[in-house]
Amino acid sequence: MANTNIDRETLRELADEGNETALDRLADAADAAGDLGELSELLDEGSLHAGVLLTRRAAAAGDLRELQRIADAGYDEAGHELERLLKAPTDGHRDGVSDQSQRSCSHSSRAAVGA
């Protein structure tokens, strides 16, 4: 069985020479280490896999600004995820109006009608 424990320097050299698989392995290593700075740098270098990993983290955290940044860096799926989150109904809100506001408005309307 071959040794698959490749050091980071070798992966970096291969990635710098255009090897996409090495770039993906660097992204996986950064993700496993929780190194968001490294993942962001890899995205800036054109790693779509880093975009996938960053998007997954940002979407889980509901970080809309980060999703926008990832989309701006060239990973289109982050933009789709951002739109999905923006269009999703929020807890306690319908069409951007809170339940409390709706109750207040309907109470005011009833009072005006009864006056």
Side-chain angles (χ1 to χ4, degrees):
M1 187 169 184
N3 180 5
T4 58
N5 190 13
I6 303 168
D7 66 80
R8 188 186 180 295
E9 283 183 41
T10 301
L11 288 173
R12 172 46 53 199
E13 289 173 10
L14 292 170
D16 288 346
E17 293 174 10
N19 187 303
E20 294 284 327
T21 304
L23 198 59
D24 291 350
R25 294 275 303 266
L26 284 171
D28 286 333
D31 185 54
D35 189 344
L36 300 181
E38 175 75 10
L39 276 172
S40 291
E41 288 176 21
L42 293 168
L43 176 63
D44 292 342
E45 291 177 34
S47 171
L48 293 181
H49 188 57
V52 169
L53 298 171
L54 285 166
T55 298
R56 184 180 307 147
R57 285 176 175 265
D63 190 339
L64 303 180
R65 288 184 181 102
E66 180 64 6
L67 286 168
Q68 183 65 60
R69 189 198 72 75
I70 297 164
D72 290 346
Y75 184 63
D76 293 337
E77 287 302 313
H80 299 307
E81 187 63 21
L82 175 61
E83 288 300 313
R84 184 188 69 77
L85 289 174
L86 287 171
K87 290 178 181 177
T90 58
D91 292 338
H93 291 79
R94 280 180 257 139
D95 298 327
V97 179
S98 71
D99 288 337
Q100 180 64 35
S101 294
Q102 288 179 344
R103 282 192 296 272
S104 176
C105 288
S106 64
H107 177 69
S108 297
S109 296
R110 283 192 300 254
V113 170

